[in-house]
Amino acid sequence: MALKTIRALPMVLLLAGCTTMVADPAETAKWQLLANQATAHFRVAAVSVQPVAGHNSAYLCREGQIRLAIRAGYVRFRLAHELGHHVLHHCGTSYAQELDANVVAIQVLQLWGLSETDAVRETVVFLLEVKKFQGNVQRPGHNVCGEAAALLRRYPSVPDPRLRGDRTCAEEFGGAKSWPRGGVLPTKDRPNRPPCAS
């Protein structure tokens, strides 16, 4: 029995590795190039981008690495947000850090070609989608509804992107924004599956 277990161990380790890291060099190069543009713009040290499977992206400050969930949708925003943590030298996680990383993410999205309005809307839409997918479950340091509402307060010219009647985050939004245009902007990066917080 022990011999069978020992023989099976390499296969288990191989399969576990395959579900964690994504080894497509072209995919890695694509996201690394965008990260390099941002780090050069903000004049901070380069960061390594490692595409991973799963739904959660993360910035590993001590390793100088971003683990980027490339199959979970909103990949461009996820990278911009994790770059926000890198630019701000965040280690650990707190609500204040998440708020600040979102603001830098909006600047990064603008660097990559979005208008300020579109960058804010993409960020808020991502947060609303996370809330719809996760319900009341929050990752440490996050309050996705609070983050979305804070961004709309910070950028008052950007309308609430929820469709009329959508009550997602209604308590945090408190009716402060109306739905003058309604709907969300289409993005090239629209997910084909529900997101999780980055």
Side-chain angles (χ1 to χ4, degrees), residues 32 35-36 38-40 42-49 58-66 79-92 97 100-101 104-105 108:
Q32 186 66 59
N36 292 348
T39 56
F42 287 101
R43 297 183 177 155
V44 296
V47 64
S48 170
V49 178
Y59 170 58
L60 308 174
C61 66
R62 288 174 183 79
E63 291 86 350
Q65 182 182 84
I66 292 173
L79 179 57
H81 177 83
E82 300 308 335
L83 282 164
H85 288 303
H86 177 68
V87 166
L88 297 169
H89 310 291
H90 289 163
C91 283
Q97 288 178 341
D100 292 343
V104 174
V108 171

PDB file of all heavy atoms in Angstrom, residues 32 35-36 38-40 42-49 58-66 79-92 97 100-101 104-105 108:
ATOM      1  N   GLN A  32       2.805  40.601 -18.883  1.00  0.00           N
ATOM      2  CA  GLN A  32       4.050  41.176 -18.372  1.00  0.00           C
ATOM      3  C   GLN A  32       4.352  42.518 -19.049  1.00  0.00           C
ATOM      4  O   GLN A  32       4.792  43.465 -18.406  1.00  0.00           O
ATOM      5  CB  GLN A  32       5.220  40.207 -18.577  1.00  0.00           C
ATOM      6  CG  GLN A  32       6.517  40.669 -17.931  1.00  0.00           C
ATOM      7  CD  GLN A  32       6.430  40.711 -16.420  1.00  0.00           C
ATOM      8  OE1 GLN A  32       6.161  39.708 -15.779  1.00  0.00           O
ATOM      9  NE2 GLN A  32       6.659  41.893 -15.836  1.00  0.00           N
ATOM     10  N   ALA A  35       2.249  45.138 -17.470  1.00  0.00           N
ATOM     11  CA  ALA A  35       2.787  45.458 -16.145  1.00  0.00           C
ATOM     12  C   ALA A  35       4.029  46.324 -16.265  1.00  0.00           C
ATOM     13  O   ALA A  35       4.207  47.286 -15.501  1.00  0.00           O
ATOM     14  CB  ALA A  35       3.096  44.172 -15.380  1.00  0.00           C
ATOM     15  N   ASN A  36       4.882  46.010 -17.217  1.00  0.00           N
ATOM     16  CA  ASN A  36       6.109  46.791 -17.409  1.00  0.00           C
ATOM     17  C   ASN A  36       5.788  48.235 -17.786  1.00  0.00           C
ATOM     18  O   ASN A  36       6.474  49.165 -17.341  1.00  0.00           O
ATOM     19  CB  ASN A  36       6.987  46.157 -18.482  1.00  0.00           C
ATOM     20  CG  ASN A  36       7.561  44.820 -18.048  1.00  0.00           C
ATOM     21  OD1 ASN A  36       7.508  44.443 -16.876  1.00  0.00           O
ATOM     22  ND2 ASN A  36       8.088  44.075 -19.006  1.00  0.00           N
ATOM     23  N   ALA A  38       3.200  49.923 -16.824  1.00  0.00           N
ATOM     24  CA  ALA A  38       2.729  50.590 -15.607  1.00  0.00           C
ATOM     25  C   ALA A  38       3.883  50.876 -14.646  1.00  0.00           C
ATOM     26  O   ALA A  38       3.975  51.979 -14.097  1.00  0.00           O
ATOM     27  CB  ALA A  38       1.656  49.752 -14.925  1.00  0.00           C
ATOM     28  N   THR A  39       4.750  49.907 -14.410  1.00  0.00           N
ATOM     29  CA  THR A  39       5.846  50.137 -13.469  1.00  0.00           C
ATOM     30  C   THR A  39       6.791  51.215 -13.988  1.00  0.00           C
ATOM     31  O   THR A  39       7.287  52.030 -13.210  1.00  0.00           O
ATOM     32  CB  THR A  39       6.617  48.834 -13.147  1.00  0.00           C
ATOM     33  OG1 THR A  39       7.088  48.237 -14.365  1.00  0.00           O
ATOM     34  CG2 THR A  39       5.741  47.860 -12.381  1.00  0.00           C
ATOM     35  N   ALA A  40       7.012  51.273 -15.303  1.00  0.00           N
ATOM     36  CA  ALA A  40       7.848  52.335 -15.872  1.00  0.00           C
ATOM     37  C   ALA A  40       7.172  53.692 -15.690  1.00  0.00           C
ATOM     38  O   ALA A  40       7.819  54.683 -15.313  1.00  0.00           O
ATOM     39  CB  ALA A  40       8.125  52.064 -17.351  1.00  0.00           C
ATOM     40  N   PHE A  42       5.007  54.640 -13.383  1.00  0.00           N
ATOM     41  CA  PHE A  42       5.002  55.062 -11.981  1.00  0.00           C
ATOM     42  C   PHE A  42       6.407  55.087 -11.362  1.00  0.00           C
ATOM     43  O   PHE A  42       6.559  55.405 -10.194  1.00  0.00           O
ATOM     44  CB  PHE A  42       4.082  54.155 -11.156  1.00  0.00           C
ATOM     45  CG  PHE A  42       2.622  54.396 -11.414  1.00  0.00           C
ATOM     46  CD1 PHE A  42       1.904  53.548 -12.251  1.00  0.00           C
ATOM     47  CD2 PHE A  42       1.965  55.470 -10.848  1.00  0.00           C
ATOM     48  CE1 PHE A  42       0.556  53.771 -12.500  1.00  0.00           C
ATOM     49  CE2 PHE A  42       0.622  55.703 -11.088  1.00  0.00           C
ATOM     50  CZ  PHE A  42      -0.092  54.852 -11.919  1.00  0.00           C
ATOM     51  N   ARG A  43       7.398  54.704 -12.152  1.00  0.00           N
ATOM     52  CA  ARG A  43       8.797  54.712 -11.719  1.00  0.00           C
ATOM     53  C   ARG A  43       9.012  53.887 -10.457  1.00  0.00           C
ATOM     54  O   ARG A  43       9.583  54.355  -9.471  1.00  0.00           O
ATOM     55  CB  ARG A  43       9.298  56.141 -11.537  1.00  0.00           C
ATOM     56  CG  ARG A  43       9.287  56.912 -12.816  1.00  0.00           C
ATOM     57  CD  ARG A  43       9.831  58.294 -12.669  1.00  0.00           C
ATOM     58  NE  ARG A  43       9.834  58.921 -13.990  1.00  0.00           N
ATOM     59  CZ  ARG A  43       9.781  60.209 -14.176  1.00  0.00           C
ATOM     60  NH1 ARG A  43       9.752  61.037 -13.152  1.00  0.00           N
ATOM     61  NH2 ARG A  43       9.780  60.694 -15.403  1.00  0.00           N
ATOM     62  N   VAL A  44       8.509  52.660 -10.518  1.00  0.00           N
ATOM     63  CA  VAL A  44       8.718  51.704  -9.427  1.00  0.00           C
ATOM     64  C   VAL A  44       9.419  50.479 -10.004  1.00  0.00           C
ATOM     65  O   VAL A  44       9.492  50.303 -11.219  1.00  0.00           O
ATOM     66  CB  VAL A  44       7.385  51.291  -8.750  1.00  0.00           C
ATOM     67  CG1 VAL A  44       6.720  52.488  -8.085  1.00  0.00           C
ATOM     68  CG2 VAL A  44       6.438  50.629  -9.744  1.00  0.00           C
ATOM     69  N   ALA A  45       9.920  49.648  -9.128  1.00  0.00           N
ATOM     70  CA  ALA A  45      10.610  48.433  -9.558  1.00  0.00           C
ATOM     71  C   ALA A  45       9.678  47.556 -10.386  1.00  0.00           C
ATOM     72  O   ALA A  45       8.463  47.565 -10.198  1.00  0.00           O
ATOM     73  CB  ALA A  45      11.105  47.661  -8.337  1.00  0.00           C
ATOM     74  N   ALA A  46      10.290  46.811 -11.283  1.00  0.00           N
ATOM     75  CA  ALA A  46       9.509  45.856 -12.081  1.00  0.00           C
ATOM     76  C   ALA A  46       8.903  44.804 -11.171  1.00  0.00           C
ATOM     77  O   ALA A  46       9.390  44.549 -10.068  1.00  0.00           O
ATOM     78  CB  ALA A  46      10.405  45.196 -13.125  1.00  0.00           C
ATOM     79  N   VAL A  47       7.820  44.207 -11.631  1.00  0.00           N
ATOM     80  CA  VAL A  47       7.147  43.139 -10.907  1.00  0.00           C
ATOM     81  C   VAL A  47       6.955  41.979 -11.883  1.00  0.00           C
ATOM     82  O   VAL A  47       6.720  42.201 -13.071  1.00  0.00           O
ATOM     83  CB  VAL A  47       5.795  43.624 -10.320  1.00  0.00           C
ATOM     84  CG1 VAL A  47       4.814  44.014 -11.410  1.00  0.00           C
ATOM     85  CG2 VAL A  47       5.180  42.610  -9.379  1.00  0.00           C
ATOM     86  N   SER A  48       7.075  40.779 -11.400  1.00  0.00           N
ATOM     87  CA  SER A  48       6.900  39.589 -12.231  1.00  0.00           C
ATOM     88  C   SER A  48       5.427  39.198 -12.251  1.00  0.00           C
ATOM     89  O   SER A  48       4.783  39.132 -11.196  1.00  0.00           O
ATOM     90  CB  SER A  48       7.736  38.442 -11.654  1.00  0.00           C
ATOM     91  OG  SER A  48       7.421  37.231 -12.289  1.00  0.00           O
ATOM     92  N   VAL A  49       4.895  38.947 -13.442  1.00  0.00           N
ATOM     93  CA  VAL A  49       3.502  38.521 -13.575  1.00  0.00           C
ATOM     94  C   VAL A  49       3.485  37.036 -13.876  1.00  0.00           C
ATOM     95  O   VAL A  49       4.100  36.579 -14.840  1.00  0.00           O
ATOM     96  CB  VAL A  49       2.770  39.288 -14.685  1.00  0.00           C
ATOM     97  CG1 VAL A  49       1.334  38.785 -14.842  1.00  0.00           C
ATOM     98  CG2 VAL A  49       2.785  40.778 -14.401  1.00  0.00           C
ATOM     99  N   ALA A  58      -3.419  37.847  -6.826  1.00  0.00           N
ATOM    100  CA  ALA A  58      -2.783  38.306  -5.597  1.00  0.00           C
ATOM    101  C   ALA A  58      -1.463  38.985  -5.911  1.00  0.00           C
ATOM    102  O   ALA A  58      -0.779  38.626  -6.878  1.00  0.00           O
ATOM    103  CB  ALA A  58      -2.534  37.130  -4.656  1.00  0.00           C
ATOM    104  N   TYR A  59      -1.107  39.959  -5.080  1.00  0.00           N
ATOM    105  CA  TYR A  59       0.205  40.584  -5.143  1.00  0.00           C
ATOM    106  C   TYR A  59       1.021  40.045  -3.974  1.00  0.00           C
ATOM    107  O   TYR A  59       0.616  40.156  -2.822  1.00  0.00           O
ATOM    108  CB  TYR A  59       0.094  42.108  -5.049  1.00  0.00           C
ATOM    109  CG  TYR A  59       1.428  42.788  -4.867  1.00  0.00           C
ATOM    110  CD1 TYR A  59       2.448  42.610  -5.809  1.00  0.00           C
ATOM    111  CD2 TYR A  59       1.683  43.587  -3.772  1.00  0.00           C
ATOM    112  CE1 TYR A  59       3.686  43.217  -5.645  1.00  0.00           C
ATOM    113  CE2 TYR A  59       2.912  44.204  -3.605  1.00  0.00           C
ATOM    114  CZ  TYR A  59       3.906  44.013  -4.546  1.00  0.00           C
ATOM    115  OH  TYR A  59       5.127  44.611  -4.386  1.00  0.00           O
ATOM    116  N   LEU A  60       2.149  39.442  -4.281  1.00  0.00           N
ATOM    117  CA  LEU A  60       3.050  38.902  -3.260  1.00  0.00           C
ATOM    118  C   LEU A  60       4.211  39.883  -3.115  1.00  0.00           C
ATOM    119  O   LEU A  60       5.152  39.863  -3.916  1.00  0.00           O
ATOM    120  CB  LEU A  60       3.536  37.511  -3.651  1.00  0.00           C
ATOM    121  CG  LEU A  60       2.423  36.511  -4.030  1.00  0.00           C
ATOM    122  CD1 LEU A  60       3.011  35.209  -4.530  1.00  0.00           C
ATOM    123  CD2 LEU A  60       1.515  36.272  -2.844  1.00  0.00           C
ATOM    124  N   CYS A  61       4.109  40.754  -2.127  1.00  0.00           N
ATOM    125  CA  CYS A  61       5.050  41.871  -2.034  1.00  0.00           C
ATOM    126  C   CYS A  61       6.490  41.418  -1.829  1.00  0.00           C
ATOM    127  O   CYS A  61       7.398  41.974  -2.433  1.00  0.00           O
ATOM    128  CB  CYS A  61       4.621  42.842  -0.946  1.00  0.00           C
ATOM    129  SG  CYS A  61       4.676  42.185   0.730  1.00  0.00           S
ATOM    130  N   ARG A  62       6.713  40.437  -0.995  1.00  0.00           N
ATOM    131  CA  ARG A  62       8.089  40.018  -0.705  1.00  0.00           C
ATOM    132  C   ARG A  62       8.748  39.330  -1.898  1.00  0.00           C
ATOM    133  O   ARG A  62       9.956  39.384  -2.063  1.00  0.00           O
ATOM    134  CB  ARG A  62       8.124  39.132   0.533  1.00  0.00           C
ATOM    135  CG  ARG A  62       7.867  39.948   1.798  1.00  0.00           C
ATOM    136  CD  ARG A  62       7.744  39.101   3.060  1.00  0.00           C
ATOM    137  NE  ARG A  62       7.441  39.931   4.210  1.00  0.00           N
ATOM    138  CZ  ARG A  62       6.248  40.403   4.508  1.00  0.00           C
ATOM    139  NH1 ARG A  62       5.219  40.136   3.745  1.00  0.00           N
ATOM    140  NH2 ARG A  62       6.055  41.148   5.577  1.00  0.00           N
ATOM    141  N   GLU A  63       7.942  38.698  -2.744  1.00  0.00           N
ATOM    142  CA  GLU A  63       8.465  38.039  -3.935  1.00  0.00           C
ATOM    143  C   GLU A  63       8.502  38.969  -5.141  1.00  0.00           C
ATOM    144  O   GLU A  63       9.078  38.637  -6.174  1.00  0.00           O
ATOM    145  CB  GLU A  63       7.617  36.805  -4.288  1.00  0.00           C
ATOM    146  CG  GLU A  63       7.735  35.665  -3.306  1.00  0.00           C
ATOM    147  CD  GLU A  63       6.772  35.801  -2.123  1.00  0.00           C
ATOM    148  OE1 GLU A  63       6.142  36.871  -1.972  1.00  0.00           O
ATOM    149  OE2 GLU A  63       6.659  34.844  -1.353  1.00  0.00           O
ATOM    150  N   GLY A  64       7.843  40.136  -5.031  1.00  0.00           N
ATOM    151  CA  GLY A  64       7.749  41.038  -6.176  1.00  0.00           C
ATOM    152  C   GLY A  64       7.020  40.377  -7.335  1.00  0.00           C
ATOM    153  O   GLY A  64       7.426  40.474  -8.486  1.00  0.00           O
ATOM    154  N   GLN A  65       5.912  39.714  -7.018  1.00  0.00           N
ATOM    155  CA  GLN A  65       5.197  38.922  -8.018  1.00  0.00           C
ATOM    156  C   GLN A  65       3.694  39.171  -7.933  1.00  0.00           C
ATOM    157  O   GLN A  65       3.135  39.338  -6.854  1.00  0.00           O
ATOM    158  CB  GLN A  65       5.470  37.429  -7.810  1.00  0.00           C
ATOM    159  CG  GLN A  65       4.804  36.535  -8.839  1.00  0.00           C
ATOM    160  CD  GLN A  65       5.067  35.075  -8.569  1.00  0.00           C
ATOM    161  OE1 GLN A  65       4.376  34.450  -7.777  1.00  0.00           O
ATOM    162  NE2 GLN A  65       6.097  34.532  -9.216  1.00  0.00           N
ATOM    163  N   ILE A  66       3.074  39.190  -9.109  1.00  0.00           N
ATOM    164  CA  ILE A  66       1.617  39.219  -9.202  1.00  0.00           C
ATOM    165  C   ILE A  66       1.176  37.874  -9.748  1.00  0.00           C
ATOM    166  O   ILE A  66       1.631  37.444 -10.808  1.00  0.00           O
ATOM    167  CB  ILE A  66       1.125  40.344 -10.128  1.00  0.00           C
ATOM    168  CG1 ILE A  66       1.420  41.700  -9.497  1.00  0.00           C
ATOM    169  CG2 ILE A  66      -0.374  40.189 -10.423  1.00  0.00           C
ATOM    170  CD1 ILE A  66       1.131  42.877 -10.408  1.00  0.00           C
ATOM    171  N   LEU A  79      -5.178  42.809 -13.135  1.00  0.00           N
ATOM    172  CA  LEU A  79      -3.764  43.180 -13.200  1.00  0.00           C
ATOM    173  C   LEU A  79      -3.571  44.614 -12.732  1.00  0.00           C
ATOM    174  O   LEU A  79      -2.654  44.902 -11.950  1.00  0.00           O
ATOM    175  CB  LEU A  79      -3.233  43.003 -14.625  1.00  0.00           C
ATOM    176  CG  LEU A  79      -1.762  43.387 -14.837  1.00  0.00           C
ATOM    177  CD1 LEU A  79      -0.833  42.601 -13.906  1.00  0.00           C
ATOM    178  CD2 LEU A  79      -1.370  43.177 -16.295  1.00  0.00           C
ATOM    179  N   ALA A  80      -4.419  45.517 -13.176  1.00  0.00           N
ATOM    180  CA  ALA A  80      -4.304  46.921 -12.765  1.00  0.00           C
ATOM    181  C   ALA A  80      -4.425  47.057 -11.251  1.00  0.00           C
ATOM    182  O   ALA A  80      -3.676  47.811 -10.621  1.00  0.00           O
ATOM    183  CB  ALA A  80      -5.373  47.758 -13.470  1.00  0.00           C
ATOM    184  N   HIS A  81      -5.348  46.327 -10.652  1.00  0.00           N
ATOM    185  CA  HIS A  81      -5.546  46.398  -9.199  1.00  0.00           C
ATOM    186  C   HIS A  81      -4.317  45.874  -8.452  1.00  0.00           C
ATOM    187  O   HIS A  81      -3.839  46.509  -7.507  1.00  0.00           O
ATOM    188  CB  HIS A  81      -6.789  45.598  -8.803  1.00  0.00           C
ATOM    189  CG  HIS A  81      -7.020  45.553  -7.327  1.00  0.00           C
ATOM    190  ND1 HIS A  81      -7.662  46.564  -6.649  1.00  0.00           N
ATOM    191  CD2 HIS A  81      -6.681  44.621  -6.398  1.00  0.00           C
ATOM    192  CE1 HIS A  81      -7.709  46.257  -5.353  1.00  0.00           C
ATOM    193  NE2 HIS A  81      -7.124  45.086  -5.185  1.00  0.00           N
ATOM    194  N   GLU A  82      -3.797  44.739  -8.880  1.00  0.00           N
ATOM    195  CA  GLU A  82      -2.612  44.186  -8.202  1.00  0.00           C
ATOM    196  C   GLU A  82      -1.402  45.087  -8.423  1.00  0.00           C
ATOM    197  O   GLU A  82      -0.556  45.234  -7.536  1.00  0.00           O
ATOM    198  CB  GLU A  82      -2.335  42.756  -8.660  1.00  0.00           C
ATOM    199  CG  GLU A  82      -3.466  41.766  -8.386  1.00  0.00           C
ATOM    200  CD  GLU A  82      -3.984  41.739  -6.956  1.00  0.00           C
ATOM    201  OE1 GLU A  82      -3.235  42.107  -6.021  1.00  0.00           O
ATOM    202  OE2 GLU A  82      -5.154  41.346  -6.760  1.00  0.00           O
ATOM    203  N   LEU A  83      -1.323  45.716  -9.592  1.00  0.00           N
ATOM    204  CA  LEU A  83      -0.262  46.711  -9.811  1.00  0.00           C
ATOM    205  C   LEU A  83      -0.426  47.884  -8.852  1.00  0.00           C
ATOM    206  O   LEU A  83       0.571  48.462  -8.406  1.00  0.00           O
ATOM    207  CB  LEU A  83      -0.285  47.200 -11.260  1.00  0.00           C
ATOM    208  CG  LEU A  83       0.340  46.254 -12.277  1.00  0.00           C
ATOM    209  CD1 LEU A  83      -0.077  46.636 -13.694  1.00  0.00           C
ATOM    210  CD2 LEU A  83       1.856  46.223 -12.135  1.00  0.00           C
ATOM    211  N   GLY A  84      -1.671  48.229  -8.530  1.00  0.00           N
ATOM    212  CA  GLY A  84      -1.906  49.275  -7.532  1.00  0.00           C
ATOM    213  C   GLY A  84      -1.255  48.931  -6.209  1.00  0.00           C
ATOM    214  O   GLY A  84      -0.609  49.779  -5.582  1.00  0.00           O
ATOM    215  N   HIS A  85      -1.393  47.685  -5.775  1.00  0.00           N
ATOM    216  CA  HIS A  85      -0.732  47.264  -4.533  1.00  0.00           C
ATOM    217  C   HIS A  85       0.785  47.364  -4.664  1.00  0.00           C
ATOM    218  O   HIS A  85       1.469  47.804  -3.737  1.00  0.00           O
ATOM    219  CB  HIS A  85      -1.128  45.828  -4.182  1.00  0.00           C
ATOM    220  CG  HIS A  85      -2.531  45.675  -3.697  1.00  0.00           C
ATOM    221  ND1 HIS A  85      -3.021  46.355  -2.600  1.00  0.00           N
ATOM    222  CD2 HIS A  85      -3.557  44.914  -4.159  1.00  0.00           C
ATOM    223  CE1 HIS A  85      -4.284  46.018  -2.398  1.00  0.00           C
ATOM    224  NE2 HIS A  85      -4.642  45.146  -3.334  1.00  0.00           N
ATOM    225  N   HIS A  86       1.315  46.983  -5.827  1.00  0.00           N
ATOM    226  CA  HIS A  86       2.763  47.041  -6.043  1.00  0.00           C
ATOM    227  C   HIS A  86       3.267  48.489  -6.025  1.00  0.00           C
ATOM    228  O   HIS A  86       4.247  48.808  -5.351  1.00  0.00           O
ATOM    229  CB  HIS A  86       3.116  46.363  -7.367  1.00  0.00           C
ATOM    230  CG  HIS A  86       4.565  46.440  -7.704  1.00  0.00           C
ATOM    231  ND1 HIS A  86       5.536  45.779  -6.987  1.00  0.00           N
ATOM    232  CD2 HIS A  86       5.215  47.124  -8.698  1.00  0.00           C
ATOM    233  CE1 HIS A  86       6.726  46.040  -7.517  1.00  0.00           C
ATOM    234  NE2 HIS A  86       6.555  46.850  -8.543  1.00  0.00           N
ATOM    235  N   VAL A  87       2.584  49.358  -6.759  1.00  0.00           N
ATOM    236  CA  VAL A  87       2.978  50.769  -6.833  1.00  0.00           C
ATOM    237  C   VAL A  87       2.976  51.403  -5.441  1.00  0.00           C
ATOM    238  O   VAL A  87       3.852  52.205  -5.104  1.00  0.00           O
ATOM    239  CB  VAL A  87       2.045  51.536  -7.798  1.00  0.00           C
ATOM    240  CG1 VAL A  87       2.192  53.043  -7.652  1.00  0.00           C
ATOM    241  CG2 VAL A  87       2.298  51.100  -9.237  1.00  0.00           C
ATOM    242  N   LEU A  88       2.007  51.017  -4.623  1.00  0.00           N
ATOM    243  CA  LEU A  88       1.856  51.597  -3.278  1.00  0.00           C
ATOM    244  C   LEU A  88       2.642  50.837  -2.209  1.00  0.00           C
ATOM    245  O   LEU A  88       2.546  51.165  -1.034  1.00  0.00           O
ATOM    246  CB  LEU A  88       0.374  51.649  -2.913  1.00  0.00           C
ATOM    247  CG  LEU A  88      -0.463  52.559  -3.823  1.00  0.00           C
ATOM    248  CD1 LEU A  88      -1.950  52.342  -3.577  1.00  0.00           C
ATOM    249  CD2 LEU A  88      -0.082  54.015  -3.628  1.00  0.00           C
ATOM    250  N   HIS A  89       3.389  49.818  -2.625  1.00  0.00           N
ATOM    251  CA  HIS A  89       4.241  49.039  -1.710  1.00  0.00           C
ATOM    252  C   HIS A  89       3.439  48.402  -0.581  1.00  0.00           C
ATOM    253  O   HIS A  89       3.866  48.404   0.572  1.00  0.00           O
ATOM    254  CB  HIS A  89       5.366  49.916  -1.132  1.00  0.00           C
ATOM    255  CG  HIS A  89       6.133  50.673  -2.166  1.00  0.00           C
ATOM    256  ND1 HIS A  89       6.972  50.052  -3.061  1.00  0.00           N
ATOM    257  CD2 HIS A  89       6.170  52.000  -2.460  1.00  0.00           C
ATOM    258  CE1 HIS A  89       7.504  50.968  -3.860  1.00  0.00           C
ATOM    259  NE2 HIS A  89       7.032  52.153  -3.521  1.00  0.00           N
ATOM    260  N   HIS A  90       2.282  47.850  -0.917  1.00  0.00           N
ATOM    261  CA  HIS A  90       1.439  47.202   0.091  1.00  0.00           C
ATOM    262  C   HIS A  90       1.940  45.796   0.398  1.00  0.00           C
ATOM    263  O   HIS A  90       2.150  44.994  -0.496  1.00  0.00           O
ATOM    264  CB  HIS A  90      -0.005  47.088  -0.402  1.00  0.00           C
ATOM    265  CG  HIS A  90      -0.719  48.388  -0.465  1.00  0.00           C
ATOM    266  ND1 HIS A  90      -1.884  48.543  -1.184  1.00  0.00           N
ATOM    267  CD2 HIS A  90      -0.471  49.601   0.090  1.00  0.00           C
ATOM    268  CE1 HIS A  90      -2.310  49.795  -1.062  1.00  0.00           C
ATOM    269  NE2 HIS A  90      -1.467  50.454  -0.303  1.00  0.00           N
ATOM    270  N   CYS A  91       2.107  45.527   1.659  1.00  0.00           N
ATOM    271  CA  CYS A  91       2.306  44.160   2.152  1.00  0.00           C
ATOM    272  C   CYS A  91       1.203  43.938   3.177  1.00  0.00           C
ATOM    273  O   CYS A  91       0.968  44.799   4.008  1.00  0.00           O
ATOM    274  CB  CYS A  91       3.685  43.991   2.790  1.00  0.00           C
ATOM    275  SG  CYS A  91       5.015  43.845   1.586  1.00  0.00           S
ATOM    276  N   GLY A  92       0.528  42.824   3.100  1.00  0.00           N
ATOM    277  CA  GLY A  92      -0.635  42.625   3.961  1.00  0.00           C
ATOM    278  C   GLY A  92      -1.863  43.135   3.235  1.00  0.00           C
ATOM    279  O   GLY A  92      -1.813  43.490   2.056  1.00  0.00           O
ATOM    280  N   GLN A  97      -6.110  49.860   2.082  1.00  0.00           N
ATOM    281  CA  GLN A  97      -5.216  49.496   0.988  1.00  0.00           C
ATOM    282  C   GLN A  97      -6.000  49.102  -0.258  1.00  0.00           C
ATOM    283  O   GLN A  97      -5.601  49.431  -1.375  1.00  0.00           O
ATOM    284  CB  GLN A  97      -4.289  48.357   1.413  1.00  0.00           C
ATOM    285  CG  GLN A  97      -3.219  48.785   2.391  1.00  0.00           C
ATOM    286  CD  GLN A  97      -2.329  47.632   2.836  1.00  0.00           C
ATOM    287  OE1 GLN A  97      -2.697  46.463   2.703  1.00  0.00           O
ATOM    288  NE2 GLN A  97      -1.172  47.967   3.376  1.00  0.00           N
ATOM    289  N   ASP A 100      -7.203  52.286  -1.934  1.00  0.00           N
ATOM    290  CA  ASP A 100      -6.102  52.962  -2.614  1.00  0.00           C
ATOM    291  C   ASP A 100      -5.668  52.211  -3.870  1.00  0.00           C
ATOM    292  O   ASP A 100      -5.369  52.823  -4.900  1.00  0.00           O
ATOM    293  CB  ASP A 100      -4.917  53.130  -1.664  1.00  0.00           C
ATOM    294  CG  ASP A 100      -5.194  54.112  -0.526  1.00  0.00           C
ATOM    295  OD1 ASP A 100      -6.159  54.894  -0.636  1.00  0.00           O
ATOM    296  OD2 ASP A 100      -4.444  54.088   0.468  1.00  0.00           O
ATOM    297  N   ALA A 101      -5.633  50.878  -3.802  1.00  0.00           N
ATOM    298  CA  ALA A 101      -5.249  50.082  -4.975  1.00  0.00           C
ATOM    299  C   ALA A 101      -6.258  50.255  -6.103  1.00  0.00           C
ATOM    300  O   ALA A 101      -5.876  50.273  -7.280  1.00  0.00           O
ATOM    301  CB  ALA A 101      -5.100  48.611  -4.595  1.00  0.00           C
ATOM    302  N   VAL A 104      -5.413  53.561  -7.886  1.00  0.00           N
ATOM    303  CA  VAL A 104      -4.258  53.399  -8.775  1.00  0.00           C
ATOM    304  C   VAL A 104      -4.649  52.541  -9.982  1.00  0.00           C
ATOM    305  O   VAL A 104      -4.211  52.817 -11.105  1.00  0.00           O
ATOM    306  CB  VAL A 104      -3.047  52.800  -8.021  1.00  0.00           C
ATOM    307  CG1 VAL A 104      -1.897  52.498  -8.987  1.00  0.00           C
ATOM    308  CG2 VAL A 104      -2.579  53.748  -6.935  1.00  0.00           C
ATOM    309  N   ALA A 105      -5.493  51.527  -9.770  1.00  0.00           N
ATOM    310  CA  ALA A 105      -5.946  50.688 -10.886  1.00  0.00           C
ATOM    311  C   ALA A 105      -6.630  51.537 -11.953  1.00  0.00           C
ATOM    312  O   ALA A 105      -6.427  51.316 -13.152  1.00  0.00           O
ATOM    313  CB  ALA A 105      -6.889  49.595 -10.385  1.00  0.00           C
ATOM    314  N   VAL A 108      -3.986  53.172 -13.910  1.00  0.00           N
ATOM    315  CA  VAL A 108      -3.328  52.197 -14.786  1.00  0.00           C
ATOM    316  C   VAL A 108      -4.203  51.915 -16.003  1.00  0.00           C
ATOM    317  O   VAL A 108      -3.717  51.877 -17.143  1.00  0.00           O
ATOM    318  CB  VAL A 108      -2.995  50.894 -14.020  1.00  0.00           C
ATOM    319  CG1 VAL A 108      -2.511  49.809 -14.974  1.00  0.00           C
ATOM    320  CG2 VAL A 108      -1.955  51.157 -12.932  1.00  0.00           C
TER     321      VAL A 108
END
